Amino acid sequence: MTTTGPIRSICCIGAGYVGGPTMAVIADRCPHIQVTVVDLNAERIAAWNHDDLARLPVYEPGLDAVVGRARGRNLHFTTAVDDAIAGADMIFLSVNTPTKTRGVGAGQASDLRWIEASARQVAAAANGHTIVVEKSTLPVRTAEAVKTILSAAQGTAGGTKTFSVLSNPEFLAEGSAIGDLENPDRVLIGGEDETAIESLASVYGQWVSQERILRTNLWSSELSKLTANAFLAQRISSINGIAALCEATGADVREVGRAIGTDSRIGSKFLQAGPGFGGSCFQKDILNLVYLCRHYGLEQVASYWESVVGLNTWQQQRIARLVVNNLFGTVSGKRIAILGFAFKADTNDTREAPAISICRDLIEEGAQLAIVDPKVGDQQITLDLGRPPVDPATAARGVPLGGDGTWIPAESVVEAARGADAVLILTEWQEYRHLDWGAIAAVMRQPAWLFDARAVADAEAARAAGLNVWRVGEG
Ligand code: NAD
Ligand code: UGA
């Protein structure tokens, strides 16, 4: 155990969806601590420093106000990684940990190259005693590798360089990140060095009650994060599977959800059927769990969790297929309005968004998509679909029957729907709950469809406006 005084200075490596908001809230709640967020990506850092708080690189309700209060006072964003490491008592590693795309474990295991690189940077640049906190989601036992890298530097610099490693996974959800950080269900701290654990607990203790700060060993903490995401994703695959059965049998998944959700053992949250889960983490974390289970010889456990991802992929494909089937078996040359591209409402994040695979499938079938999303721009959609939009003038002339599918950005829902045979809702943005279906139906080609993969639209109003309506989970 190492003695540590109160934390005065924090550095966070990684200014992404987790590092940025998490550190902004810590700085806001702990004005006595200097918090510096560093990133190699200079463009991202410049965006965090932008005068116009509406142009921060992460869109999260309430984030602008928190950053506005703390930035320049005790919250700093910089690319000077080594300086920030050298000046810190505590360093959070909040770098990306995507699925490996090649080599051993490709497609399942986490790619730990950014964690390793940042641990090496900490080993080289740190001064005195430093608490290193794993904030990224990591395979169980990664702390061992981090400790090994750091221990190679331990005792250097005149014998003063020492480290303690903690695991402190993040449970925030995008779109509600500020609320989740300000009022978390729990904060989890895993470690062996009790002084370090209490130092981190005292940071959170500025605004989180002690009963909500859970202390575990390192491996339980690392594994709890993967397990929490696997359980949450499993609920979505479960309800999406039941939604398909509801559609086939005349049941309604919302009624079934309400009926089972009132059982306090099941609970009412996370029972919304939809186009499948997206986001950067659920799939990658389950696949990582699957990889770990196989590594430890637990084949049945691995295939159990793998099926959660399999059902999710099936749900996305099923929605693209049913759109095609209902439009007389072909969407070639037909316009389809896509409402929502983000993986969920209240975020500009599109990582693993169900919209990506569904739009790709429809484009493959020859559809001409008009895509609108309140927070996702054309550039991001171009990257995600792997193709630029066509010139709207060309699109207005229509694509030749049987021609290649295309997409165009649309300024508004009505513009997207103009001349369309169908509207497909893929993100549950609040504004899609109150659309003027009379105005939308009036600009569509009849017979026209509303496919509501989020069950958020006013289906009665859409039917009254003359549209055929399909809602996920409604038999
Ligand atoms: P992100 O890709 O948005 O951000 C990671 C940042 O780290 C990038 O900006 C990258 O440039 C930077 N980076 C990588 N290596 C670096 C280095 N050596 N030095 C400086 N900067 C470096 O990722 P994210 O969504 O913030 O996720 C980070 C981690 O948190 C992941 O492990 C993820 O699984 C986990 N997590 C994410 C969420 C979420 O909602 N996005 C929630 C909980 C946990
Ligand atoms: C999720 C977890 O909720 C967080 O606790 C975790 O920290 C985070 O992953 C992470 O590790 O990255 P996030 O992916 O941001 O957060 O958002 P969720 O609200 O969990 O939604 C994930 C996906 O599931 C979205 O596509 C959402 O639309 C979908 N979903 C969610 C449903 O289809 N139905 C539901 O009932 C709930």
Side-chain angles (χ1 to χ4, degrees):
M1 193 184 300
T2 328
T3 50
T4 324
I7 301 300
R8 285 157 294 127
S9 163
I10 287 177
C11 163
C12 173
I13 306 183
Y17 282 86
V18 168
T22 309
M23 292 304 126
V25 169
I26 290 183
D28 192 33
R29 298 302 175 122
C30 306
H32 57 287
I33 300 178
Q34 288 297 318
V35 180
T36 306
V37 190
V38 299
D39 206 296
L40 299 171
N41 182 337
E43 215 178 306
R44 212 165 203 185
I45 289 297
W48 281 111
N49 284 322
H50 205 288
D51 289 340
D52 180 358
L53 289 168
R55 295 176 64 180
L56 297 178
V58 168
Y59 172 70
E60 231 3 287
L63 176 64
D64 49 356
V66 177
V67 171
R69 282 195 294 272
R71 199 177 60 186
R73 179 190 70 188
N74 65 328
L75 175 65
H76 315 279
F77 295 93
T78 170
T79 51
V81 180
D82 286 351
D83 292 348
I85 292 173
D89 306 319
M90 179 177 276
I91 298 175
F92 286 80
L93 307 181
S94 188
V95 298
N96 37 320
T97 51
T99 304
K100 269 184 95 170
T101 53
R102 56 185 159 166
V104 177
Q108 290 194 328
S110 285
D111 191 338
L112 296 178
R113 74 176 100 159
W114 292 275
I115 273 289
E116 179 174 339
S118 48
R120 286 184 190 280
Q121 260 170 309
V122 171
N127 272 321
H129 184 65
T130 311
I131 300 172
V132 177
V133 184
E134 296 176 342
K135 180 53 94 181
S136 297
T137 301
L138 296 167
V140 56
R141 298 203 77 87
T142 303
E144 205 158 65
V146 171
K147 279 199 271 189
T148 307
I149 291 168
L150 297 174
S151 65
Q154 190 116 351
T156 58
T160 58
K161 211 181 259 205
T162 53
F163 300 96
S164 294
V165 176
L166 301 176
S167 160
N168 172 225
E170 184 50 59
F171 296 99
L172 69 80
E174 290 178 31
S176 57
I178 299 303
D180 295 341
L181 289 163
E182 289 182 338
N183 189 19
D185 285 345
R186 80 304 208 182
V187 164
L188 181 56
I189 304 177
E192 290 149 357
D193 176 346
E194 278 172 29
T195 312
I197 293 172
E198 293 318 311
S199 292
L200 181 54
S202 73
V203 172
Y204 286 108
Q206 297 295 314
W207 77 97
V208 180
S209 63
Q210 282 303 316
E211 318 84 76
R212 291 194 179 203
I213 302 179
L214 310 183
R215 289 125 168 118
T216 66
N217 76 32
L218 272 169
W219 323 126
S220 304
S221 174
E222 289 178 333
L223 187 55
S224 298
K225 174 62 195 175
L226 294 183
T227 307
N229 275 358
F231 269 58
L232 290 168
Q234 176 210 45
R235 269 174 86 91
I236 301 170
S237 281
S238 299
I239 201 71
N240 284 340
I242 297 299
L245 187 58
C246 287
E247 290 165 31
T249 56
D252 183 329
V253 76
R254 278 157 295 283
E255 292 180 353
V256 174
R258 200 164 62 242
I260 65 167
T262 46
D263 184 323
S264 59
R265 294 166 303 173
I266 295 176
S268 60
K269 293 183 181 165
F270 255 68
L271 287 176
Q272 299 299 319
F277 56 76
S280 62
C281 294
F282 278 175
Q283 176 164 314
K284 106 173 147 61
D285 292 347
I286 296 180
L287 292 176
N288 187 208
L289 195 62
V290 167
Y291 182 76
L292 284 167
C293 292
R294 292 227 161 93
H295 173 80
Y296 289 102
L298 300 167
E299 180 51 40
Q300 279 79 0
V301 187
S303 40
Y304 171 74
W305 287 110
E306 205 164 27
S307 71
V308 171
V309 175
L311 198 123
N312 197 53
T313 307
W314 174 80
Q315 176 76 345
Q316 297 177 6
Q317 291 167 346
R318 178 174 95 85
I319 286 173
R321 254 196 324 267
L322 74 85
V323 170
V324 176
N325 289 343
N326 280 300
L327 296 181
F328 308 112
T330 175
V331 292
S332 185
K334 291 180 182 167
R335 177 181 272 209
I336 299 173
I338 303 292
L339 274 50
F341 202 82
F343 83 95
K344 63 183 283 194
D346 289 327
T347 178
N348 59 346
D349 194 348
T350 63
R351 290 178 289 178
E352 304 293 337
I356 299 173
S357 70
I358 294 171
C359 289
R360 280 175 180 251
D361 284 358
L362 292 172
I363 289 174
E364 182 64 29
E365 293 279 344
Q368 183 201 315
L369 306 181
I371 305 177
V372 59
D373 185 288
K375 290 290 170 197
V376 181
D378 312 353
Q379 275 185 342
Q380 188 58 50
I381 299 175
T382 299
L383 283 175
D384 290 334
L385 295 182
R387 61 173 73 214
V390 289
D391 169 26
T394 315
R397 291 197 296 276
V399 291
L401 286 183
D404 287 342
T406 56
W407 75 277
I408 53 166
E411 290 294 315
S412 68
V413 170
V414 171
E415 275 320 301
R418 194 173 295 284
D421 290 41
V423 167
L424 170 57
I425 300 181
L426 292 179
T427 311
E428 74 285 21
W429 287 101
Q430 189 61 23
E431 60 204 76
Y432 300 158
R433 295 176 194 271
H434 311 289
L435 293 171
D436 178 351
W437 286 104
I440 295 168
V443 299
M444 295 177 75
R445 183 169 84 158
Q446 302 300 328
W449 276 86
L450 162 62
F451 297 101
D452 187 357
R454 293 285 187 172
V456 288
D458 182 344
E460 278 322 300
R463 284 196 188 97
L467 299 185
N468 298 298
V469 176
W470 170 87
R471 295 174 94 198
V472 66
E474 190 174 83

